[in-house]
Amino acid sequence: QTRSNNHWIMVSGYGVSGGKGRCYKFWQDFTECMKGDDRATACKMQAQDYEECLHHKKEYQRRATIAEQQAALRKAGKLAENVDDLQTKDFVTGAGK
């Protein structure tokens, strides 16, 4: 899957409040990599990090997997019904450490 230069320019840049966007550092890493090697495959990891920062697809997939596992454990009687989902959010996001 390739992206036009206009797409990358459009999604980089500044945040809503006028400062640097939350993914700006990932964008910088990606563009620095592309300066050194313009092959799309050379900077695949940086591009993936930037896309994850923008869209959180891996994070959402992980949350869905955890929710499915919790549901299966509840059904099997191995997890109490009142376990707070906040524990899952803390585990996924690293909050509360």
Side-chain angles (χ1 to χ4, degrees):
Q1 176 178 353
T2 60
R3 302 275 187 176
S4 70
N5 285 339
N6 289 339
H7 170 80
W8 293 113
I9 291 168
M10 188 172 61
V11 295
S12 66
Y14 295 96
V16 183
S17 62
K20 291 179 181 174
R22 74 176 191 277
C23 301
Y24 186 72
K25 176 68 175 122
F26 294 104
W27 170 251
Q28 282 184 315
D29 291 345
F30 176 68
T31 56
E32 285 299 314
C33 179
M34 290 300 288
K35 285 179 187 175
D37 192 339
D38 61 356
R39 293 176 297 142
T41 57
C43 302
K44 186 175 182 177
M45 289 177 58
Q46 290 86 346
Q48 288 175 343
D49 288 344
Y50 180 59
E51 288 283 329
E52 177 61 21
C53 181
L54 289 173
H55 305 295
H56 307 287
K57 289 180 182 179
K58 290 178 185 176
E59 177 187 352
Y60 294 144
Q61 179 60 47
R62 180 156 173 78
R63 286 179 186 237
T65 300
I66 290 171
E68 289 171 8
Q69 291 171 345
Q70 284 181 332
L73 289 172
R74 282 188 184 107
K75 187 175 182 178
K78 296 181 180 180
L79 185 66
E81 288 292 328
N82 62 354
V83 172
D84 189 354
D85 287 334
L86 182 59
Q87 292 173 345
T88 302
K89 291 177 188 171
D90 287 350
F91 174 74
V92 173
T93 62
K97 288 185 178 182

Coordinates of all heavy atoms in Angstrom, one line a residue:
Q1 N 0.9 -1.2 0.0 CA 0.0 0.0 0.0 C 0.9 1.2 0.0 O 1.7 1.4 0.9 CB -0.9 0.0 1.2 CG -1.7 1.2 1.4 CD -2.6 1.0 2.7 OE1 -2.6 0.0 3.3 NE2 -3.3 2.1 3.0
T2 N 0.7 2.1 -1.0 CA 1.6 3.3 -1.1 C 0.7 4.5 -0.8 O -0.5 4.5 -0.9 CB 2.2 3.4 -2.4 OG1 1.1 3.5 -3.4 CG2 3.1 2.2 -2.7
R3 N 1.4 5.5 -0.4 CA 0.7 6.8 -0.1 C 1.3 7.9 -0.9 O 2.5 7.9 -1.2 CB 0.9 7.2 1.4 CG 0.4 6.2 2.4 CD -1.1 6.3 2.6 NE -1.5 5.4 3.7 CZ -2.7 5.4 4.2 NH1 -3.6 6.2 3.7 NH2 -3.0 4.6 5.1
S4 N 0.5 8.9 -1.3 CA 1.1 10.0 -2.0 C 1.8 10.9 -1.1 O 1.5 10.9 0.1 CB -0.1 10.7 -2.8 OG -0.9 11.4 -1.8
N5 N 2.6 11.8 -1.6 CA 3.3 12.7 -0.8 C 2.3 13.7 -0.1 O 2.5 14.1 1.0 CB 4.3 13.5 -1.6 CG 5.6 12.7 -1.9 OD1 5.8 11.7 -1.2 ND2 6.3 13.1 -2.9
N6 N 1.2 14.0 -0.8 CA 0.2 14.9 -0.3 C -0.4 14.3 1.0 O -0.7 15.0 1.9 CB -0.8 15.2 -1.3 CG -0.3 16.1 -2.4 OD1 0.6 16.8 -2.2 ND2 -1.0 16.1 -3.5
H7 N -0.6 13.0 1.0 CA -1.2 12.3 2.2 C -0.3 12.5 3.4 O -0.7 12.9 4.4 CB -1.4 10.9 1.9 CG -1.7 10.1 3.2 ND1 -3.0 10.1 3.7 CD2 -1.0 9.4 4.0 CE1 -3.0 9.4 4.8 NE2 -1.8 8.9 5.0
W8 N 1.0 12.3 3.2 CA 2.0 12.4 4.3 C 2.1 13.8 4.8 O 2.2 14.1 6.0 CB 3.3 11.8 3.9 CG 3.3 10.4 3.7 CD1 3.5 9.7 2.5 CD2 3.0 9.3 4.6 NE1 3.4 8.4 2.7 CE2 3.1 8.1 4.0 CE3 2.8 9.3 6.0 CZ2 2.9 6.9 4.6 CZ3 2.5 8.1 6.6 CH2 2.6 6.9 5.9
I9 N 2.1 14.8 3.9 CA 2.2 16.2 4.3 C 0.9 16.5 5.0 O 1.0 17.2 6.0 CB 2.3 17.1 3.0 CG1 3.7 16.8 2.4 CG2 2.1 18.5 3.4 CD1 3.9 17.5 1.1
M10 N -0.2 16.1 4.6 CA -1.5 16.4 5.2 C -1.6 15.9 6.6 O -2.1 16.6 7.5 CB -2.6 15.9 4.3 CG -4.0 16.3 4.8 SD -5.3 15.8 3.6 CE -5.2 14.0 3.7
V11 N -1.1 14.7 6.9 CA -1.3 14.1 8.2 C -0.2 14.5 9.2 O -0.2 14.1 10.4 CB -1.5 12.6 8.2 CG1 -2.8 12.2 7.5 CG2 -0.3 11.9 7.6
S12 N 0.9 15.1 8.7 CA 1.9 15.5 9.6 C 1.6 16.9 10.1 O 0.6 17.5 9.8 CB 3.3 15.5 8.9 OG 3.3 16.5 7.8
G13 N 2.6 17.5 10.8 CA 2.4 18.9 11.1 C 2.0 19.2 12.5 O 2.4 18.5 13.4
Y14 N 1.1 20.1 12.7 CA 0.8 20.6 14.0 C -0.5 20.1 14.6 O -1.4 19.7 13.8 CB 0.8 22.2 14.0 CG 2.2 22.7 13.6 CD1 2.5 23.0 12.3 CD2 3.1 22.8 14.6 CE1 3.8 23.5 12.0 CE2 4.4 23.3 14.4 CZ 4.7 23.6 13.1 OH 6.0 24.1 12.8
G15 N -0.6 20.1 15.9 CA -1.8 19.6 16.6 C -2.9 20.7 16.5 O -2.7 21.8 16.0
V16 N -4.0 20.3 17.1 CA -5.2 21.1 17.1 C -4.9 22.5 17.8 O -5.4 23.5 17.4 CB -6.3 20.4 17.8 CG1 -7.6 21.2 17.8 CG2 -6.5 19.0 17.2
S17 N -4.1 22.5 18.9 CA -3.9 23.7 19.6 C -2.8 24.5 19.0 O -2.4 25.6 19.6 CB -3.6 23.4 21.1 OG -2.4 22.6 21.1
G18 N -2.2 24.1 17.9 CA -1.2 24.9 17.2 C 0.2 24.5 17.5 O 1.1 24.9 16.8
G19 N 0.4 23.7 18.5 CA 1.7 23.1 18.8 C 2.0 21.9 18.0 O 1.2 21.6 17.1
K20 N 3.1 21.3 18.3 CA 3.4 20.0 17.5 C 2.4 19.0 17.9 O 2.0 18.8 19.0 CB 4.8 19.5 17.9 CG 5.9 20.4 17.4 CD 7.3 19.9 17.8 CE 8.3 20.8 17.3 NZ 9.7 20.4 17.8
G21 N 2.0 18.2 16.9 CA 1.0 17.1 17.1 C 1.6 16.0 17.9 O 2.8 15.9 18.0
R22 N 0.7 15.1 18.4 CA 1.2 14.0 19.3 C 2.1 13.1 18.5 O 2.9 12.3 19.1 CB 0.0 13.3 19.9 CG -0.8 12.5 19.0 CD -1.9 11.7 19.6 NE -2.4 10.7 18.7 CZ -3.4 11.0 17.8 NH1 -3.8 12.2 17.7 NH2 -3.8 10.0 17.0
C23 N 1.9 13.0 17.2 CA 2.7 12.1 16.4 C 3.9 12.7 15.7 O 4.5 12.1 14.8 CB 1.8 11.3 15.4 SG 0.5 10.5 16.2
Y24 N 4.2 13.9 16.0 CA 5.2 14.7 15.3 C 6.5 14.0 15.3 O 7.3 14.0 14.3 CB 5.3 16.1 15.8 CG 6.2 17.0 15.0 CD1 5.8 17.4 13.7 CD2 7.4 17.4 15.5 CE1 6.7 18.2 12.9 CE2 8.2 18.2 14.7 CZ 7.9 18.6 13.5 OH 8.7 19.4 12.7
K25 N 6.9 13.5 16.5 CA 8.2 12.8 16.6 C 8.3 11.6 15.7 O 9.3 11.4 15.1 CB 8.4 12.4 18.1 CG 9.7 11.6 18.3 CD 10.9 12.5 18.1 CE 12.2 11.7 18.5 NZ 13.1 11.5 17.4
F26 N 7.2 10.9 15.6 CA 7.2 9.7 14.7 C 7.3 10.2 13.2 O 8.0 9.5 12.4 CB 6.0 8.9 14.9 CG 5.9 8.2 16.2 CD1 5.1 8.7 17.2 CD2 6.7 7.1 16.5 CE1 5.0 8.1 18.5 CE2 6.6 6.5 17.8 CZ 5.8 7.0 18.7
W27 N 6.7 11.3 12.9 CA 6.8 11.8 11.6 C 8.2 12.2 11.3 O 8.7 12.0 10.2 CB 5.8 13.0 11.4 CG 6.0 13.8 10.2 CD1 6.5 15.0 10.0 CD2 5.7 13.4 8.9 NE1 6.6 15.4 8.7 CE2 6.1 14.4 8.0 CE3 5.1 12.2 8.3 CZ2 5.9 14.3 6.6 CZ3 5.0 12.1 7.0 CH2 5.3 13.1 6.1
Q28 N 8.8 12.9 12.2 CA 10.2 13.3 12.0 C 11.1 12.1 11.8 O 12.0 12.1 10.9 CB 10.7 14.1 13.3 CG 10.3 15.5 13.3 CD 10.9 16.2 14.5 OE1 10.9 15.7 15.6 NE2 11.4 17.4 14.3
D29 N 11.0 11.1 12.6 CA 11.8 9.8 12.4 C 11.6 9.3 11.0 O 12.6 8.9 10.4 CB 11.4 8.8 13.5 CG 11.8 9.2 14.9 OD1 12.6 10.1 15.1 OD2 11.3 8.5 15.8
F30 N 10.3 9.2 10.6 CA 10.0 8.7 9.3 C 10.7 9.5 8.2 O 11.3 9.0 7.3 CB 8.5 8.6 9.1 CG 8.1 8.1 7.7 CD1 8.4 6.9 7.3 CD2 7.5 9.0 6.8 CE1 8.0 6.4 6.0 CE2 7.1 8.6 5.5 CZ 7.4 7.3 5.1
T31 N 10.5 10.9 8.2 CA 11.1 11.7 7.2 C 12.6 11.7 7.2 O 13.2 11.7 6.1 CB 10.6 13.2 7.3 OG1 10.9 13.7 8.6 CG2 9.1 13.2 7.0
E32 N 13.2 11.6 8.4 CA 14.7 11.5 8.4 C 15.2 10.2 7.8 O 16.2 10.2 7.0 CB 15.2 11.6 9.9 CG 15.2 13.0 10.4 CD 16.0 13.9 9.7 OE1 17.2 13.6 9.4 OE2 15.6 15.1 9.4
C33 N 14.5 9.1 8.0 CA 14.8 7.9 7.4 C 14.7 7.9 5.9 O 15.5 7.5 5.1 CB 13.9 6.8 7.9 SG 14.2 5.1 7.2
M34 N 13.6 8.6 5.4 CA 13.4 8.7 4.0 C 14.4 9.6 3.3 O 14.7 9.4 2.1 CB 12.0 9.2 3.7 CG 10.9 8.2 4.0 SD 10.9 6.7 3.1 CE 10.4 7.2 1.5
K35 N 15.0 10.5 4.0 CA 16.1 11.3 3.4 C 17.3 10.5 3.1 O 18.0 10.7 2.1 CB 16.4 12.5 4.4 CG 15.5 13.6 4.5 CD 15.9 14.6 5.5 CE 14.9 15.7 5.7 NZ 15.3 16.6 6.8
G36 N 17.5 9.5 4.0 CA 18.7 8.6 3.8 C 18.5 7.5 2.8 O 19.4 7.1 2.1
D37 N 17.3 7.1 2.6 CA 17.0 6.0 1.7 C 15.5 6.1 1.2 O 14.6 6.0 2.0 CB 17.2 4.7 2.4 CG 17.2 3.5 1.4 OD1 16.6 3.6 0.3 OD2 17.7 2.5 1.8
D38 N 15.3 6.5 0.0 CA 13.9 6.7 -0.5 C 13.1 5.5 -0.9 O 12.0 5.5 -1.4 CB 13.9 7.7 -1.6 CG 14.6 7.3 -2.8 OD1 15.2 6.2 -2.8 OD2 14.6 8.1 -3.8
R39 N 13.7 4.3 -0.6 CA 12.9 3.0 -0.9 C 11.9 2.9 0.2 O 12.2 3.1 1.4 CB 13.8 1.8 -0.8 CG 14.9 1.8 -2.0 CD 15.8 0.6 -1.8 NE 16.6 0.8 -0.6 CZ 16.9 -0.2 0.2 NH1 16.6 -1.5 0.0 NH2 17.6 0.0 1.3
A40 N 10.7 2.6 -0.1 CA 9.6 2.5 0.8 C 9.9 1.4 1.9 O 9.5 1.5 3.0 CB 8.3 2.2 0.1
T41 N 10.5 0.3 1.5 CA 10.8 -0.8 2.4 C 11.9 -0.4 3.4 O 11.9 -1.0 4.5 CB 11.2 -2.0 1.7 OG1 12.4 -1.7 0.9 CG2 10.1 -2.6 0.8
A42 N 12.7 0.5 3.1 CA 13.8 0.9 4.0 C 13.3 1.5 5.3 O 13.9 1.4 6.4 CB 14.8 1.8 3.4
C43 N 12.2 2.2 5.3 CA 11.7 2.9 6.4 C 10.3 2.3 6.9 O 9.5 3.0 7.5 CB 11.5 4.4 6.1 SG 13.1 5.1 5.6
K44 N 10.1 1.1 6.7 CA 8.9 0.4 7.0 C 8.5 0.5 8.5 O 7.4 0.8 8.9 CB 8.9 -1.0 6.6 CG 7.6 -1.8 6.7 CD 7.7 -3.2 6.2 CE 6.3 -3.8 6.3 NZ 6.3 -5.2 5.7
M45 N 9.5 0.3 9.4 CA 9.2 0.3 10.8 C 8.8 1.7 11.3 O 7.9 1.9 12.1 CB 10.5 -0.2 11.6 CG 10.7 -1.7 11.5 SD 12.1 -2.2 12.3 CE 11.8 -1.8 14.0
Q46 N 9.5 2.8 10.8 CA 9.2 4.1 11.1 C 7.8 4.5 10.6 O 7.0 5.2 11.3 CB 10.2 5.1 10.6 CG 11.6 5.0 11.2 CD 12.5 4.0 10.6 OE1 12.1 3.1 9.9 NE2 13.8 4.1 11.0
A47 N 7.5 4.0 9.4 CA 6.1 4.3 8.8 C 5.1 3.6 9.7 O 4.0 4.2 10.0 CB 6.1 3.8 7.4
Q48 N 5.3 2.4 10.1 CA 4.4 1.6 11.0 C 4.2 2.3 12.3 O 3.0 2.4 12.8 CB 4.8 0.2 11.2 CG 4.7 -0.7 9.9 CD 5.2 -2.1 10.1 OE1 6.0 -2.3 11.1 NE2 4.9 -3.0 9.3
D49 N 5.3 2.8 12.9 CA 5.1 3.5 14.2 C 4.3 4.8 14.0 O 3.5 5.1 14.9 CB 6.5 3.9 14.7 CG 7.3 2.7 15.2 OD1 6.7 1.6 15.5 OD2 8.5 2.9 15.4
Y50 N 4.5 5.5 12.9 CA 3.8 6.7 12.7 C 2.3 6.4 12.5 O 1.4 7.1 13.1 CB 4.4 7.5 11.5 CG 3.6 8.7 11.1 CD1 3.5 9.8 12.0 CD2 3.1 8.9 9.9 CE1 2.9 10.9 11.7 CE2 2.4 10.1 9.6 CZ 2.3 11.1 10.5 OH 1.7 12.3 10.2
E51 N 2.0 5.4 11.7 CA 0.6 5.0 11.4 C -0.1 4.6 12.7 O -1.2 4.9 13.0 CB 0.5 3.9 10.4 CG 0.8 4.3 9.0 CD -0.3 5.0 8.3 OE1 -1.5 4.7 8.6 OE2 0.0 5.9 7.5
E52 N 0.6 3.8 13.6 CA 0.1 3.4 14.9 C -0.2 4.6 15.7 O -1.3 4.6 16.4 CB 1.0 2.4 15.6 CG 0.5 2.0 16.9 CD -0.8 1.2 16.9 OE1 -1.2 0.7 15.9 OE2 -1.5 1.2 18.0
C53 N 0.7 5.6 15.8 CA 0.4 6.8 16.5 C -0.8 7.5 16.1 O -1.6 7.9 16.9 CB 1.6 7.7 16.5 SG 1.4 9.2 17.4
L54 N -1.0 7.5 14.8 CA -2.2 8.2 14.2 C -3.5 7.5 14.5 O -4.5 8.1 14.8 CB -2.0 8.4 12.7 CG -1.0 9.4 12.3 CD1 -0.9 9.4 10.7 CD2 -1.4 10.8 12.7
H55 N -3.5 6.2 14.3 CA -4.7 5.4 14.2 C -5.0 4.4 15.3 O -6.1 3.9 15.5 CB -4.8 4.7 12.8 CG -4.7 5.6 11.7 ND1 -5.6 6.6 11.4 CD2 -3.7 5.8 10.8 CE1 -5.2 7.3 10.4 NE2 -4.1 6.8 9.9
H56 N -3.9 4.0 16.0 CA -4.0 3.1 17.2 C -4.6 1.7 16.8 O -5.2 1.1 17.7 CB -4.8 3.7 18.3 CG -4.4 5.1 18.7 ND1 -3.2 5.3 19.4 CD2 -4.9 6.3 18.5 CE1 -3.1 6.5 19.7 NE2 -4.1 7.2 19.1
K57 N -4.4 1.2 15.6 CA -5.0 0.0 15.2 C -4.5 -1.2 16.0 O -5.3 -2.1 16.4 CB -4.7 -0.3 13.7 CG -5.5 0.6 12.8 CD -5.2 0.3 11.4 CE -6.0 1.3 10.5 NZ -5.7 1.1 9.1
K58 N -3.2 -1.3 16.3 CA -2.7 -2.4 17.1 C -3.2 -2.3 18.5 O -3.5 -3.3 19.1 CB -1.1 -2.3 17.1 CG -0.5 -2.7 15.8 CD 1.0 -2.6 15.9 CE 1.7 -2.8 14.5 NZ 3.1 -2.6 14.6
E59 N -3.3 -1.1 19.1 CA -3.8 -0.9 20.4 C -5.3 -1.4 20.5 O -5.6 -2.1 21.4 CB -3.7 0.5 20.9 CG -4.3 0.8 22.2 CD -4.4 2.3 22.6 OE1 -3.9 3.1 21.9 OE2 -5.0 2.5 23.6
Y60 N -6.1 -1.0 19.6 CA -7.5 -1.4 19.6 C -7.6 -2.9 19.4 O -8.5 -3.5 20.0 CB -8.3 -0.7 18.5 CG -8.4 0.8 18.7 CD1 -8.4 1.7 17.7 CD2 -8.5 1.4 20.0 CE1 -8.5 3.1 17.9 CE2 -8.6 2.7 20.2 CZ -8.6 3.6 19.2 OH -8.7 4.9 19.4
Q61 N -6.8 -3.5 18.6 CA -6.8 -4.9 18.4 C -6.5 -5.7 19.7 O -7.1 -6.6 20.1 CB -5.9 -5.4 17.3 CG -5.9 -6.9 17.0 CD -7.2 -7.4 16.7 OE1 -7.9 -6.9 15.8 NE2 -7.6 -8.5 17.3
R62 N -5.5 -5.1 20.4 CA -5.0 -5.7 21.7 C -6.2 -5.6 22.7 O -6.5 -6.6 23.4 CB -3.8 -5.1 22.2 CG -3.3 -5.6 23.5 CD -1.8 -5.4 23.7 NE -1.4 -5.8 25.0 CZ -1.2 -7.0 25.4 NH1 -1.3 -8.0 24.6 NH2 -0.7 -7.3 26.6
R63 N -6.8 -4.5 22.7 CA -7.9 -4.3 23.7 C -9.1 -5.3 23.4 O -9.7 -5.9 24.3 CB -8.5 -2.9 23.6 CG -7.6 -1.9 24.3 CD -8.2 -0.5 24.2 NE -7.2 0.5 24.7 CZ -7.5 1.3 25.7 NH1 -8.7 1.3 26.2 NH2 -6.7 2.2 26.1
A64 N -9.4 -5.5 22.1 CA -10.4 -6.4 21.7 C -10.1 -7.8 22.1 O -10.9 -8.6 22.5 CB -10.7 -6.3 20.2
T65 N -8.8 -8.2 21.9 CA -8.3 -9.5 22.2 C -8.5 -9.8 23.7 O -8.9 -10.8 24.2 CB -6.9 -9.7 21.8 OG1 -6.8 -9.6 20.4 CG2 -6.3 -11.1 22.2
I66 N -8.1 -8.8 24.5 CA -8.2 -8.9 26.0 C -9.6 -9.0 26.4 O -10.0 -9.9 27.2 CB -7.5 -7.7 26.7 CG1 -6.0 -7.8 26.5 CG2 -7.8 -7.7 28.1 CD1 -5.2 -6.6 26.9
A67 N -10.5 -8.2 25.8 CA -11.9 -8.3 26.1 C -12.5 -9.7 25.8 O -13.3 -10.2 26.6 CB -12.7 -7.2 25.4
E68 N -12.1 -10.2 24.6 CA -12.6 -11.6 24.2 C -12.1 -12.6 25.2 O -12.8 -13.5 25.6 CB -12.1 -11.9 22.8 CG -12.7 -11.2 21.7 CD -12.1 -11.4 20.4 OE1 -11.1 -12.2 20.3 OE2 -12.4 -10.7 19.4
Q69 N -10.8 -12.5 25.7 CA -10.3 -13.4 26.6 C -11.0 -13.3 28.0 O -11.3 -14.3 28.6 CB -8.8 -13.2 26.8 CG -8.0 -13.6 25.6 CD -6.5 -13.2 25.6 OE1 -6.1 -12.4 26.5 NE2 -5.7 -13.8 24.8
Q70 N -11.3 -12.1 28.4 CA -12.0 -11.9 29.6 C -13.4 -12.5 29.5 O -13.9 -13.2 30.5 CB -12.1 -10.4 30.0 CG -10.8 -9.8 30.5 CD -11.0 -8.4 30.9 OE1 -11.8 -7.7 30.3 NE2 -10.2 -7.9 31.8
A71 N -14.1 -12.3 28.4 CA -15.4 -12.9 28.2 C -15.3 -14.4 28.3 O -16.2 -15.1 28.9 CB -16.0 -12.4 26.9
A72 N -14.3 -15.0 27.7 CA -14.2 -16.5 27.7 C -13.9 -17.0 29.2 O -14.5 -18.0 29.6 CB -13.1 -16.9 26.8
L73 N -13.1 -16.2 29.9 CA -12.8 -16.6 31.3 C -14.1 -16.4 32.2 O -14.3 -17.3 33.0 CB -11.7 -15.8 31.9 CG -10.3 -16.1 31.3 CD1 -9.3 -15.0 31.8 CD2 -9.8 -17.5 31.7
R74 N -14.8 -15.4 31.9 CA -16.1 -15.2 32.7 C -17.1 -16.3 32.4 O -17.7 -16.9 33.3 CB -16.7 -13.9 32.3 CG -16.1 -12.7 33.0 CD -16.9 -11.4 32.8 NE -16.2 -10.3 33.4 CZ -15.5 -9.4 32.7 NH1 -15.6 -9.4 31.3 NH2 -14.9 -8.4 33.3
K75 N -17.2 -16.7 31.2 CA -18.1 -17.8 30.8 C -17.7 -19.1 31.4 O -18.5 -19.9 31.8 CB -18.1 -17.9 29.2 CG -19.1 -18.9 28.7 CD -19.2 -18.9 27.2 CE -20.2 -19.9 26.7 NZ -20.3 -19.9 25.3
A76 N -16.4 -19.3 31.5 CA -15.8 -20.5 32.1 C -15.8 -20.5 33.7 O -15.5 -21.4 34.3 CB -14.4 -20.8 31.6
G77 N -16.2 -19.3 34.2 CA -16.3 -19.2 35.7 C -14.9 -18.9 36.3 O -14.8 -19.1 37.5
K78 N -14.0 -18.5 35.5 CA -12.6 -18.3 36.0 C -12.3 -16.9 36.3 O -11.2 -16.5 36.7 CB -11.6 -18.9 35.1 CG -11.7 -20.4 34.9 CD -10.7 -21.0 34.0 CE -10.8 -22.5 33.9 NZ -9.8 -23.0 33.0
L79 N -13.3 -16.0 36.0 CA -13.1 -14.6 36.2 C -14.4 -14.0 36.8 O -15.4 -14.2 36.2 CB -12.7 -13.9 34.9 CG -12.3 -12.4 35.0 CD1 -11.0 -12.2 35.8 CD2 -12.2 -11.8 33.6
A80 N -14.3 -13.3 37.9 CA -15.5 -12.7 38.5 C -16.1 -11.7 37.5 O -15.5 -11.0 36.8 CB -15.1 -12.0 39.8
E81 N -17.4 -11.6 37.6 CA -18.2 -10.7 36.7 C -17.9 -9.3 37.0 O -18.0 -8.4 36.2 CB -19.7 -11.0 36.9 CG -20.2 -12.3 36.3 CD -20.1 -12.3 34.8 OE1 -20.3 -11.2 34.2 OE2 -19.9 -13.4 34.2
N82 N -17.5 -9.0 38.3 CA -17.3 -7.6 38.6 C -15.9 -7.0 38.5 O -15.6 -6.0 39.0 CB -17.8 -7.4 40.1 CG -16.9 -8.2 41.1 OD1 -16.1 -9.0 40.7 ND2 -17.2 -8.0 42.3
V83 N -15.1 -7.8 37.7 CA -13.7 -7.3 37.5 C -13.8 -6.0 36.6 O -14.5 -6.0 35.6 CB -12.8 -8.3 36.8 CG1 -11.5 -7.7 36.4 CG2 -12.6 -9.5 37.7
D84 N -13.2 -5.0 37.1 CA -13.3 -3.7 36.5 C -12.5 -3.7 35.2 O -11.4 -4.0 35.2 CB -12.8 -2.6 37.4 CG -13.1 -1.2 37.0 OD1 -13.6 -1.0 35.8 OD2 -12.8 -0.2 37.7
D85 N -13.2 -3.2 34.1 CA -12.5 -3.1 32.8 C -11.3 -2.1 32.9 O -10.5 -2.1 32.0 CB -13.4 -2.7 31.7 CG -14.3 -3.9 31.3 OD1 -13.9 -5.1 31.5 OD2 -15.4 -3.7 30.8
L86 N -11.3 -1.2 33.9 CA -10.3 -0.2 34.0 C -8.9 -1.0 34.2 O -7.9 -0.5 33.7 CB -10.5 0.7 35.2 CG -9.5 1.8 35.4 CD1 -9.4 2.7 34.2 CD2 -9.9 2.6 36.7
Q87 N -8.9 -2.1 34.8 CA -7.7 -2.9 35.0 C -7.1 -3.2 33.6 O -5.9 -3.2 33.4 CB -7.9 -4.2 35.8 CG -8.3 -3.9 37.2 CD -8.7 -5.2 38.0 OE1 -8.9 -6.2 37.4 NE2 -8.7 -5.1 39.3
T88 N -8.0 -3.6 32.7 CA -7.5 -3.9 31.3 C -7.0 -2.7 30.7 O -5.9 -2.7 30.0 CB -8.7 -4.4 30.5 OG1 -9.3 -5.6 31.1 CG2 -8.3 -4.8 29.1
K89 N -7.6 -1.6 30.8 CA -7.1 -0.3 30.2 C -5.8 0.0 30.8 O -4.9 0.4 30.0 CB -8.1 0.8 30.4 CG -9.4 0.6 29.7 CD -10.4 1.8 30.0 CE -11.8 1.5 29.4 NZ -12.8 2.4 29.9
D90 N -5.6 -0.1 32.1 CA -4.3 0.2 32.7 C -3.2 -0.8 32.2 O -2.1 -0.3 31.9 CB -4.4 0.0 34.2 CG -5.2 1.2 34.9 OD1 -5.5 2.2 34.2 OD2 -5.5 1.1 36.1
F91 N -3.6 -2.0 32.0 CA -2.6 -3.0 31.5 C -2.2 -2.6 30.1 O -1.0 -2.6 29.8 CB -3.2 -4.4 31.5 CG -2.3 -5.4 30.9 CD1 -1.2 -5.9 31.5 CD2 -2.6 -5.9 29.6 CE1 -0.3 -6.8 30.9 CE2 -1.8 -6.8 29.0 CZ -0.6 -7.3 29.6
V92 N -3.1 -2.3 29.3 CA -2.8 -2.0 27.8 C -2.1 -0.7 27.7 O -1.1 -0.6 27.0 CB -4.1 -1.9 27.0 CG1 -3.9 -1.5 25.6 CG2 -4.8 -3.3 27.0
T93 N -2.5 0.3 28.4 CA -1.9 1.7 28.3 C -0.7 1.9 29.2 O 0.1 2.8 29.0 CB -2.9 2.8 28.5 OG1 -3.3 2.7 29.9 CG2 -4.1 2.7 27.6
G94 N -0.5 1.1 30.2 CA 0.6 1.3 31.1 C 0.3 2.3 32.2 O 1.1 2.7 33.0
A95 N -1.0 2.7 32.3 CA -1.4 3.7 33.3 C -1.3 3.1 34.7 O -1.5 1.9 34.8 CB -2.8 4.2 33.0
G96 N -1.2 3.9 35.7 CA -1.2 3.4 37.1 C 0.1 2.8 37.5 O 0.2 2.2 38.6
K97 N 1.1 2.9 36.7 CA 2.5 2.4 37.2 C 3.3 3.5 37.7 O 3.2 4.6 37.5 CB 3.2 1.8 36.0 CG 2.6 0.5 35.5 CD 3.4 -0.1 34.4 CE 2.8 -1.4 34.0 NZ 3.5 -2.1 33.0

